[in-house]
Amino acid sequence: MSSLATEPFVELNIPQHKYFNDTRFPAVVVRSSQPHALPLTRSIKSHLPYIESLLLKSGAVLFRGFPVSTASDFDAVVEAFGYEELPYVGGAAPRSNVVGRVFTANESPPDQKIPFHHEMAQVPEFPSKLFFFCEVEPLSGGETPIVLSHIVYERMKEKYPEFVERLEKYGLLYIRVLGEDDNPSSPIGRGWKSTFLTTDKTVAQQRAEKLGMKLEWLEDGVKTIMGPIPAVKYDEKRQRKIWFNSMVAAFTGWKDERNDPEKAVTFGDGQPLPADIVYDCLKILEEECVAVPWQKGDVLLLDNWAVLHSRRSFNPPRRVLASLVK
């Protein structure tokens, strides 16, 4: 444990920690044992630069052991940061609003894994940060593994230089068929009405165009074509290249009665991706990730530029809520 006398937080070591350049990943903070410790919301407001420096260094900060027990408590914690909310337009996951700025996380069935991705990497406007909150801890499983994006880029570049070069040159195309309404049995089951937050096809068309997305209307839904969109970005704050895409998620997980995952993502010029390399990338993601078991009341803050996340299958109950910020 390490602590700063002036801080309401204490940094904690946990067995799952990984170290990159002597930096713990993720940073884990617990409540200081000072006799007059402030509530978490006030501590955040008065120590935001400290939290942001931890986030910049580590990419992820887990707040553990604070009295955050309801969706409303979590909403107040998110509000305390003062970040602007990002509306969930163009994302694939079925989710619903709970209270204020708080949504359910991906509501796909518990036996399904959700593959690694940066939140909304397949659209031009994505959150810079995201929050998760464990309202009900899982009976077993259900971790949200996280992995540092630049590590994945470095390993892929070293192992598959030509593939990465092609990826950097052409980017990726994402193709998805949406039904009219949400399909909660699919991890990508968001219907077009909730994807574009409208029941009007003309408005949906306008919102898609604003995202740079092409729509092809079908009898019972719509085919969306997004891209070419960059698959590798440059993180200005940390001055390094990052593996910023949903390639593995789309290729291995965008499967339901309307979608074939191997057709869901291609190189930006329309050429198919080599399956062996995509699956090896999945292996690298698994090797480099950290999966901290959820405890009730945990709040996890992720820098969406630095970190990819996923979800393991679980035995219910489990309720993890989310909030996205610009």
Side-chain angles (χ1 to χ4, degrees), residues 168-189:
E168 292 193 58
K169 182 178 179 183
Y170 293 107
L172 290 168
L173 269 178
Y174 297 96
I175 297 122
R176 199 156 54 90
V177 180
L178 317 182
E180 220 163 88
D181 299 306
D182 288 0
N183 170 11
S185 69
S186 162
I188 53 158

Side-chain angles (χ1 to χ4, degrees), residues 66-83:
F66 293 90
V68 185
S69 51
T70 66
S72 297
D73 293 345
F74 174 49
D75 191 46
V77 167
V78 174
E79 282 286 343
F81 279 86
Y83 300 138

Side-chain angles (χ1 to χ4, degrees), residues 38 77 93 118 151 176 183 199 214 260 282 321:
L38 294 169
V77 167
H118 284 278
I151 301 288
R176 199 156 54 90
N183 170 11
T199 56
K214 295 181 206 70
D260 170 0
L282 172 59
L321 304 178

Side-chain angles (χ1 to χ4, degrees), residues 110-130:
D111 61 331
Q112 295 183 6
K113 279 183 175 181
I114 296 167
F116 283 100
H117 61 287
H118 284 278
E119 193 65 32
M120 296 167 71
Q122 72 278 11
V123 290
E125 195 177 348
F126 50 84
S128 70
K129 300 175 185 72
L130 50 148

Side-chain angles (χ1 to χ4, degrees), residues 118-315:
H118 284 278
E119 193 65 32
M120 296 167 71
Q122 72 278 11
V123 290
E125 195 177 348
F126 50 84
S128 70
K129 300 175 185 72
L130 50 148
F131 293 86
F132 290 112
F133 162 62
C134 180
E135 188 178 34
V136 179
E137 69 183 69
L139 191 63
S140 66
E143 299 93 342
T144 299
I146 53 176
V147 61
L148 284 163
S149 195
H150 73 288
I151 301 288
V152 181
Y153 173 78
E154 284 163 12
R155 283 199 56 186
M156 287 295 290
K157 178 89 174 164
E158 189 181 356
K159 197 165 181 184
Y160 301 109
E162 285 169 16
F163 172 79
V164 173
E165 198 177 307
R166 195 165 156 70
L167 211 53
E168 292 193 58
K169 182 178 179 183
Y170 293 107
L172 290 168
L173 269 178
Y174 297 96
I175 297 122
R176 199 156 54 90
V177 180
L178 317 182
E180 220 163 88
D181 299 306
D182 288 0
N183 170 11
S185 69
S186 162
I188 53 158
R190 210 158 173 239
W192 69 261
K193 290 175 181 175
S194 59
T195 296
F196 301 110
L197 306 178
T198 182
T199 56
D200 184 325
K201 286 185 178 180
T202 311
V203 175
Q205 194 79 40
Q206 289 164 351
R207 288 183 180 164
E209 279 167 18
K210 204 176 163 192
L211 290 170
M213 185 186 279
K214 295 181 206 70
L215 300 186
E216 291 176 11
W217 292 97
L218 311 168
E219 258 181 52
D220 62 343
V222 65
K223 182 180 182 181
T224 68
I225 302 147
M226 186 72 230
I229 198 159
V232 173
K233 291 187 187 287
Y234 187 73
D235 182 347
E236 294 282 354
K237 283 193 291 186
R238 297 174 183 84
Q239 304 204 321
R240 62 196 186 198
K241 281 188 174 180
I242 51 172
W243 187 257
F244 197 93
N245 59 67
S246 296
M247 178 188 83
V248 168
F251 196 92
T252 67
W254 285 14
K255 182 178 172 63
D256 59 19
E257 70 272 14
R258 288 187 168 86
N259 293 278
D260 170 0
E262 295 198 10
K263 293 177 183 160
V265 59
T266 67
F267 283 114
D269 61 356
Q271 291 299 307
L273 297 170
D276 57 330
I277 295 181
V278 177
Y279 279 96
D280 201 32
C281 182
L282 172 59
K283 200 166 149 247
I284 288 168
L285 286 158
E286 288 290 353
E287 284 168 8
E288 296 293 351
C289 80
V290 172
V292 183
W294 283 112
Q295 291 181 12
K296 181 174 168 54
D298 280 352
V299 174
L300 177 63
L301 168 58
L302 297 183
D303 186 318
N304 196 35
W305 279 89
V307 173
L308 300 104
H309 65 281
S310 65
R311 186 199 78 186
R312 290 191 177 158
S313 56
F314 62 93
N315 288 317

